[in-house]
């Protein structure tokens, strides 16, 4: 305890906490690493300083050091062997060193116990294939906000890595060899990259994968075998892509899947049986697509009992969706299915649509209206769809007259507005006389012409 | 899974239940992460640089109860940002940069009880927000930039005040409001909040009752508890008559006076709820007072009924009703109110001086209604009514006799009242003082300047003058000028009078150039055609008086109108003469055709056909139009609107006629 405080560097504060000696040198304006740290130091925080270069054995020998944080510095070069003498280092944070860009293959040599490595926002664009090869204990790698453009080859063969975060790193593809040998990977986040292609079998070695986040990429389609072998997958996020349809084969292996996000795509069609093996699904997100119809067959043969998010789709509420309406009523786990068509029910929620029955008990589709585009307003009672169709047709035909009536009313008021406005009404009066006069003179002229003809004849 | 810049904890309980807490407080986080655990019940995104909450940002967190977004940089929130947060109890957005909150999004959060918007940049709460606030029990708007609140703001929770606490187990429901540390403008808009800060034990409790006014200057820095606002008075409408009986065809003025603070708004409605179509003149001669007059000209039986005058301001609404009864026949009945009017009472509607004698120009029959716009502010007063008769020119002779009698009466009363009589448009407030003393009621004191003005006027109006002007009339009028004539009883020169005029409804009087004066006549030039003016002839040194004023309108529309009616007469005469002639000729032609030989007949028919073709050379194209009509909807619409123009025209001409004969 005493030693921790005694050897504290000038710019730092040292304290003995539960986990050992903690040295805090953050925001101290340091341009170089202090010469000496307490030998007992378990945690050193050098965040937000001006460190530029880490030389060899930059921290000396600190046998107890478990956590070292160097975020928000100006590190441009880390000399190979800089972290030598830190045999128990478990967590190394190098995030937000925007000048780093490149790491030597031997940078992390001798960190045999490193479990967590944070390389976020270091503008890394390429890392040596074997950068992480000497980190057998590495479990978590955080590397979002970089410029990789492809899944770093350094990941290959990291058999102990469980979590990999590669958000917003401009990655364009997940190739078949990208994730080879990552047998313990449980969580992989590739969200908000530029992934256009996922090769068949790309996740073939990742049998332990539980969470796969591919949302907010540029995927327009997926190979049938894209997720083959992911038998433990619980979350699959494909939201915010450009998928146009959902193929039957994609999710066939994902028996454990609990959450499936397909929101914010351009999905117009879901193949029959696409969700058929997803019996454990807790929530299916299909909101924000272009779905007009969702076939019950997509879920067959199993029963889907989870939540279904379907809002923001142009649903066509005809008899093909009757199952869904019944299911909404029964389960209460679906809401907000706003109908965009047919015309007689447009604007309503599917739960309010009443499907009529023909004499032989078959469902009758709600009526289409010819003028739906011009009147998206609330339609009349769904029960009387035929009547409503007629009435709205009538109102269509009568529509152009409505404003005229208004005009007429205002004119009437104008006249009644009385004294102050009398001049205006005089003007109107004059206008009326003018019209009458013109009309009369027209009649007279034509008559006169006829008379002339008659006279000629005579 | 947990977002990479957040920490996710699960607090399990022994009974197996638990709650997921997610905390994101990474200084470098600049957008709301996706993929929070779906069982999150408490989400804190704090001290980040997140600037916006995207639409439907949390829709999948169906179990979320607490959403704390404090001390970020959130500047914009979408209307649907909180979509589907049906379980949310608490939403904290304190310490952000919000300038507005999407209040309608509260509909997405039916269980929300606490909304914390402390320490933002919100400058206003819109009126429509009020309807969404009902379910909140804690709303913190402190440390924002609010200057005022919607008038119904506190009414959002009026249901709390009336609901008594049902059992002792449940404490009475209260709403806690944080409104302190805002630059409040202390006026009637927030008078209820100011009152609230002075009392305790209310259903609405202020988080910190120590609130300070920033404006207006006289209240700057003063605690709400010490602010004594000018009374925010509920409007009061008073009346001296509730029933008026008037003859068919006479003109009736209904006057409604209201006071209140802030100055109330006045609206007239009929008993059936319809609005009043007659002229409504409104004026607010001073803070807190407003009067309104409707003038019913030539009333008919359909004008009978209740007229409701409604006054509304921030503090409330009140109204008064007057019932107008129209009796048939030609006798003119003065309302009891006006017959017992004392000299100090303002403005019975004077008919034009000389109405019974020299007839005013024919078109000026409109003018009584206009001269009758008295702006006497008489705050106490009431629903004044006056009846005057229409001009003889537009009425049967027997009626004009009766109206002549009336005018004599009123002119007599006008004489007696002359000393204190002020013409309406010129001296608003002129009678206020007298009125106040007379009635012994309390009214907000007039401003000093007003008083001075009044005093000046009183001095300027001598009790007697040796110049008497009678029989003011319009001798000649054109579009841009008018000549006034009057009889003067004095022997002094013409320069002893002044002629003032103003455009009707405006207060600024213009002096007529002295060059334009003649002996007992004056010409006013530079008028706008087709407008109405008020002109007053005053003896030198005397203010204009109502009975020496005349309202006239410059020519234009009337002139055009008569021209047109002349044309009409000509054309109709032509019609009357020509039509029988044509009939006769047609008859002749028919006869000729019947009697002529077949060859001639055939030739004739050919020629007739040709003639018809030339008469309607477009018959073919019209046919085309009709066939196209079936093809093209747009074309059909065009035709529809065409026909609609026709029907509009018909209605218009109807309306004209009504006006003309009315």
């Amino acid at each position: 305890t005493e030693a921790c405080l005694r050897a504290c560097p000038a710019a730092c504060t040292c304290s003995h906490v539960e986990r050992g000696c903690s040295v805090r040198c953050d925001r101290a304006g340091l341009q170089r690493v202090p010469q000496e740290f307490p030998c007992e130091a378990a945690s050193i925080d050098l965040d937000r300083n001006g460190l530029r270069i880490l030389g060899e054995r930059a921290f000396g020998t600190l046998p107890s050091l478990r956590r070292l944080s160097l975020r928000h510095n100006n590190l441009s070069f880390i000399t190979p062997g800089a972290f030598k003498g830190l045999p128990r280092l478990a967590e190394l944070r190098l995030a937000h060193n925007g000048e780093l860009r490149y790491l030597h293959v031997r940078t992390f040599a001798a960190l045999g116990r490193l479990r967590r490595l944070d390389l976020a926002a270091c503008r890394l664009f390429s890392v040596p294939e074997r950068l992480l090869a000497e980190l057998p204990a590495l479990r978590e790698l955080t590397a979002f906000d970089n410029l990789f453009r492809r899944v770093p080859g350094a990941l290959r063969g990291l058999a102990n890595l469980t979590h990999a975060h590669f958000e917003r790193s401009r990655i364009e593809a997940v190739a078949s060899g990208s994730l080879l040998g990552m047998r313990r990977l449980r969580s992989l986040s590739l969200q908000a990259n530029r992934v256009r292609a996922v090769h068949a079998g790309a996740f073939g070695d990742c049998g332990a994968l539980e969470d796969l986040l591919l949302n907010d990429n540029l995927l327009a389609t997926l190979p049938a075998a894209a997720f083959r072998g992911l038998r433990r997958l619980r979350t699959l996020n494909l939201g915010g892509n450009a998928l146009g349809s959902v193929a039957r084969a994609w999710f066939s292996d994902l028996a454990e899947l609990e959450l499936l996000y397909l929101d914010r795509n351009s999905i117009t069609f879901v193949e029959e049986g696409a969700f058929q093996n997803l019996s454990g699904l807790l929530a299916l997100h299909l909101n924000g697509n272009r779905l007009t119809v969702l076939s019950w067959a997509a879920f067959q043969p199993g029963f889907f009992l989870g939540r279904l998010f379907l809002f923001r789709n142009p649903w066509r509420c005809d008899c093909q969706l009757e199952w869904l309406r019944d299911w909404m009523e029964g389960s209460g786990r679906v809401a907000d299915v706003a109908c965009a068509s047919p015309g007689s029910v447009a604007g309503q929620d599917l739960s309010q649509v009443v499907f009529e029955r023909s004499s032989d008990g078959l469902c009758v589709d709600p009526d289409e209206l010819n003028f739906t585009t011009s009147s998206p307003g609330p339609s009349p009672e769904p029960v009387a769809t035929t009547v409503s169709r007629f009435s709205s047709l009538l109102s269509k035909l009568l529509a152009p007259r409505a404003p005229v009536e208004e005009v007429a009313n205002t004119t009437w008021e104008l006249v009644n507005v009385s004294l102050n406005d009398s001049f205006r009404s005089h003007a109107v009066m004059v206008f009326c006389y003018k019209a009458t006069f013109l009309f009369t003179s027209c009649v007279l002229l034509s008559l006169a012409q006829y008379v002339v003809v008659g006279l000629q004849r005579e | 899974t947990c977002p990479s810049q957040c920490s996710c904890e699960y607090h399990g309980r022994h009974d197996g239940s638990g709650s997921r807490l997610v905390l994101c407080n990474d200084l470098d986080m600049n957008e709301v992460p996706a993929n929070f655990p779906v069982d999150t019940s408490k989400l804190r995104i704090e001290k980040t640089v997140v600037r916006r909450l995207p639409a439907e940002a949390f829709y999948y967190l169906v179990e979320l109860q607490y959403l704390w977004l404090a001390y970020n940089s959130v500047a914009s929130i979408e209307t649907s940002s909180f979509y589907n947060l049906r379980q949310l109890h608490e939403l904290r957005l304190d310490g952000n940069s919000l300038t507005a909150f999407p209040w309608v999004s509260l509909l997405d959060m039916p269980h929300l009880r606490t909304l914390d918007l402390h320490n933002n940049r919100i400058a206003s709460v819109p009126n429509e927000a009020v309807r969404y606030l009902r379910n909140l029990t804690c709303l913190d708007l402190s440390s924002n930039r609010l200057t005022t609140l919607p008038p119904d703001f506190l009414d959002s929770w009026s249901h709390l005040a009336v609901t008594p606490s049902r059992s002792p187990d449940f404490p009475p429901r209260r709403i806690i409001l944080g409104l302190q540390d805002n630059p409040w403008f202390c006026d009637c808009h927030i008078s209820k909040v100011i009152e609230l800060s002075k009392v305790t034990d209310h259903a609405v409790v202020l988080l910190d009752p120590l609130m300070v006014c920033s404006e207006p200057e006289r209240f700057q820095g003063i605690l709400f508890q010490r602010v004594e606002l000018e009374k925010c008075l509920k409007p009061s409408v008073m009346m001296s008559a509730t029933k008026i009986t008037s003859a068919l065809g006479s003109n009736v003025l209904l006057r409604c006076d209201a006071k209140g603070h802030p100055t109330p708004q006045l609206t007239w409605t009929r008993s059936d709820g319809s609005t009043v179509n007659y002229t409504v003149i409104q004026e607010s001669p001073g803070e807190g007072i407003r009067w309104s007059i409707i003038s019913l000209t030539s009333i008919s039986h359909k004008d009978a009924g209740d007229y409701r005058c409604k006054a509304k301001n921030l503090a409330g609404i009140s109204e008064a009703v007057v019932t107008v009864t129209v009796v048939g026949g030609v006798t003119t009945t003065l309302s009891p109110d006006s017959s017992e009017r004392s000299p100090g009472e303002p403005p019975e509607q004077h008919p034009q001086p000389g109405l019974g004698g020299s007839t005013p120009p024919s078109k000026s029959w409109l003018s009584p209604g206009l001269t009758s716009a008295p702006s006497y502010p008489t705050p106490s007063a009431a629903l004044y009514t006056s009846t005057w008769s229409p001009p003889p020119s537009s009425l049967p002779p027997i009626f004009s006799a009766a109206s002549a009698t009336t005018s004599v009466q009123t002119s007599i009363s006008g004489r007696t009242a002359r000393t204190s009589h002020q013409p309406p448009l010129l001296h608003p407030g002129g009678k206020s003082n007298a009125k106040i003393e007379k009635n012994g009621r309390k009214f907000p004191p007039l401003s000093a300047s007003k008083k001075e003005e009044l005093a000046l006027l009183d001095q300027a109006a001598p009790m007697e003058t040796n110049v008497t002007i009678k029989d003011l009339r319009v001798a000649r009028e054109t579009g841009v000028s008018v000549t006034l004539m009057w009889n003067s009883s004095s022997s002094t020169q013409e320069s002893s009078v002044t002629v003032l005029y103003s455009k009707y409804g405006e207060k600024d009087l213009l002096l007529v150039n002295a060059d334009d004066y003649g002996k007992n006549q004056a010409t006013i030039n530079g008028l706008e055609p087709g407008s109405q003016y008020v002109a007053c002839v005053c003896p030198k040194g005397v203010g204009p008086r109502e009975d020496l004023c005349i309202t006239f309108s410059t020519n234009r529309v009337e002139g055009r109108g008569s021209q047109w009616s002349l044309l009409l007469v000509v054309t109709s005469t032509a019609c009357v003469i020509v039509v029988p002639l044509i009939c006769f000729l047609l008859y002749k032609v028919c006869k000729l055709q019947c009697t002529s030989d077949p060859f001639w007949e055939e030739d004739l028919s050919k020629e007739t056909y040709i003639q018809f073709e030339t008469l309607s050379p477009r018959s073919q194209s019209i046919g085309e139009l009709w066939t196209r009509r079936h093809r093209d909807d747009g074309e059909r619409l065009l035709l529809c609107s065409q026909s609609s123009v026709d029907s509009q025209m018909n209605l218009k001409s109807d309306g004209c006629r009504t006006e003309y004969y009315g």
Side-chain angles (χ1 to χ4, degrees), chain A residues 104-346:
Chain A
H104 189 271
V105 66
R106 300 278 297 159
T107 306
F108 303 119
L111 291 175
R113 294 206 183 177
L114 194 71
R115 290 176 67 90
R116 304 170 91 179
L117 177 60
D118 184 357
L119 292 168
C122 289
R123 291 170 78 180
L124 300 172
F125 59 92
S126 158
V127 289
E129 289 274 320
R130 295 192 49 78
L131 177 73
L132 307 172
E134 295 175 53
L135 302 174
L138 194 66
R139 297 287 186 277
E140 271 182 51
L141 175 62
T142 305
F144 56 80
D145 289 327
N146 279 297
L147 310 167
F148 291 124
R149 300 194 64 203
R150 59 190 195 91
V151 179
L155 283 179
R156 224 169 280 155
L158 292 182
N160 290 324
L161 197 71
T162 58
H163 292 79
H165 295 282
F166 284 92
E167 296 94 340
R168 300 180 295 278
S169 290
R170 307 194 186 181
I171 292 168
E172 287 164 11
V174 186
S176 48
S178 295
L179 305 167
L180 279 177
M182 303 187 74
R183 298 187 195 285
R184 293 200 184 150
L185 191 66
R186 281 172 23 213
S187 169
L188 173 62
S189 174
L190 289 165
Q191 58 179 298
N193 279 287
R194 296 174 183 174
V195 177
R196 288 179 187 277
V198 172
H199 294 180
F203 305 103
D205 277 0
C206 308
L209 206 58
E210 291 175 5
D211 302 309
L212 175 56
L213 309 179
L214 281 162
N215 53 296
D216 299 288
N217 279 291
L218 304 169
L219 290 168
T221 185
L222 287 167
F227 307 117
R228 182 154 301 165
L230 297 178
R231 292 178 201 283
R232 292 199 189 165
L233 201 66
R234 291 163 59 196
T235 307
L236 175 59
N237 196 334
L238 290 165
N241 279 289
L243 298 171
S245 64
V246 180
R248 180 180 180 157
W250 290 353
F251 312 124
S252 56
D253 273 3
L254 311 182
E256 294 286 309
L257 201 65
E258 292 175 351
L259 304 170
L260 177 55
Y261 295 84
L262 290 163
D263 55 300
R264 297 176 291 122
N265 277 284
S266 308
I267 299 169
T268 54
F269 179 61
V270 178
E271 282 184 20
E272 273 187 32
F275 310 122
Q276 63 179 347
N277 288 331
L278 308 180
S279 52
L281 209 57
L282 297 175
L284 171 59
H285 298 251
L286 283 164
N287 49 293
N289 280 292
R290 296 182 193 161
L291 287 167
T292 53
V293 65
L294 181 62
S295 159
W296 171 231
F299 298 95
Q300 276 171 347
F303 285 101
F304 175 67
L305 296 172
R307 288 180 194 278
L308 193 50
F309 293 91
L310 296 173
F311 61 93
R312 285 215 197 182
N313 274 294
W315 293 108
R316 179 174 176 81
C317 298
D318 57 15
C319 288
Q320 291 193 64
L321 278 189
E322 196 187 13
W323 72 270
L324 184 59
R325 201 211 52 188
D326 295 344
W327 192 61
M328 286 168 82
E329 263 176 26
S331 73
R333 311 198 98 191
V334 192
D336 279 346
V337 181
C339 304
S341 61
S344 60
V345 295

Side-chain angles (χ1 to χ4, degrees), chain B residues 154-262:
Chain B
L154 287 178
D155 296 340
S156 307
W157 303 284
S158 52
H159 60 288
L160 297 181
V162 293
T163 318
S165 58
R166 289 187 194 129
S167 72
D169 300 335
F170 292 100
R173 270 189 71 195
R174 290 186 167 189
I175 160 81
I176 298 165
L177 273 181
L179 296 171
Q180 72 277 8
D181 190 23
N182 275 294
W184 294 112
F185 189 97
C186 291
D187 66 356
C188 278
H189 286 84
I190 57 164
S191 63
K192 285 181 189 167
V193 176
I194 292 173
E195 291 308 310
L196 195 64
S197 72
K198 295 176 182 173
V199 297
T200 51
D201 195 35
H202 193 274
V204 181
V205 180
L206 291 171
L207 201 62
D208 182 355
L210 295 179
M211 299 195 287
V212 179
C213 303
S214 306
E215 277 180 283
E217 210 168 322
R218 60 196 164 113
F219 291 136
Q220 200 167 22
I222 294 179
L223 282 173
F224 273 26
Q225 281 94 334
R226 304 226 177 110
V227 168
E228 292 298 333
L229 285 181
E230 274 173 51
K231 282 281 180 247
C232 294
L233 263 185
K234 193 183 161 185
S236 57
V237 186
M238 284 163 297
M239 60 168 92
S240 58
T242 54
K243 280 188 182 172
I244 291 157
T245 308
S246 202
L248 186 69
S250 59
N251 298 335
V252 175
L253 284 184
L254 303 178
R255 174 164 171 154
C256 172
D257 277 88
K259 61 176 175 134
H261 200 95

Side-chain angles (χ1 to χ4, degrees), chain B residues 41-270:
Chain B
S41 65
K42 184 171 182 176
L43 172 59
R44 297 167 60 186
I45 302 177
E46 294 173 358
K47 298 178 196 161
T48 70
V49 287
V50 169
R51 298 187 59 179
R52 56 180 289 267
L53 301 182
E56 292 141 19
F58 311 101
Y59 78 94
Y60 55 98
L61 301 177
V62 289
E63 294 172 30
L64 197 65
Q65 294 188 335
Y66 302 89
L67 179 56
W68 293 2
L69 300 166
Y71 295 94
N72 297 294
S73 309
V74 179
S76 77
I77 300 181
E78 306 271 328
T79 309
S80 59
S81 287
F82 304 114
Y83 174 76
N84 210 32
L85 294 180
R86 311 213 126 253
Q87 300 301 319
L88 199 69
H89 271 255
E90 264 187 47
L91 175 58
R92 296 192 180 273
L93 282 158
D94 42 322
N96 282 290
S97 311
L98 293 172
T99 52
F101 181 79
W103 298 97
V104 67
S105 69
L106 293 178
L107 290 176
D108 289 331
M109 303 175 274
H111 283 102
L112 194 71
R113 294 293 172 268
T114 300
L115 175 59
D116 188 350
L117 294 167
H118 167 76
N119 197 359
N120 275 286
R121 296 172 193 169
I122 298 169
S124 71
V125 176
N127 278 325
E128 61 268 22
V130 171
R131 74 182 86 143
Y132 309 116
L133 301 175
R134 199 180 150 85
N135 285 335
L136 295 179
T137 57
C138 178
L139 172 61
D140 194 348
L141 284 163
S142 56
S143 302
N144 274 287
R145 295 178 184 175
L146 295 171
T147 55
T148 191
L149 287 170
D152 309 329
F153 183 71
L154 287 178
D155 296 340
S156 307
W157 303 284
S158 52
H159 60 288
L160 297 181
V162 293
T163 318
S165 58
R166 289 187 194 129
S167 72
D169 300 335
F170 292 100
R173 270 189 71 195
R174 290 186 167 189
I175 160 81
I176 298 165
L177 273 181
L179 296 171
Q180 72 277 8
D181 190 23
N182 275 294
W184 294 112
F185 189 97
C186 291
D187 66 356
C188 278
H189 286 84
I190 57 164
S191 63
K192 285 181 189 167
V193 176
I194 292 173
E195 291 308 310
L196 195 64
S197 72
K198 295 176 182 173
V199 297
T200 51
D201 195 35
H202 193 274
V204 181
V205 180
L206 291 171
L207 201 62
D208 182 355
L210 295 179
M211 299 195 287
V212 179
C213 303
S214 306
E215 277 180 283
E217 210 168 322
R218 60 196 164 113
F219 291 136
Q220 200 167 22
I222 294 179
L223 282 173
F224 273 26
Q225 281 94 334
R226 304 226 177 110
V227 168
E228 292 298 333
L229 285 181
E230 274 173 51
K231 282 281 180 247
C232 294
L233 263 185
K234 193 183 161 185
S236 57
V237 186
M238 284 163 297
M239 60 168 92
S240 58
T242 54
K243 280 188 182 172
I244 291 157
T245 308
S246 202
L248 186 69
S250 59
N251 298 335
V252 175
L253 284 184
L254 303 178
R255 174 164 171 154
C256 172
D257 277 88
K259 61 176 175 134
H261 200 95
T263 310
Q265 299 294 315
L266 295 182
T267 47
W268 288 93
T269 47
R270 294 287 303 268

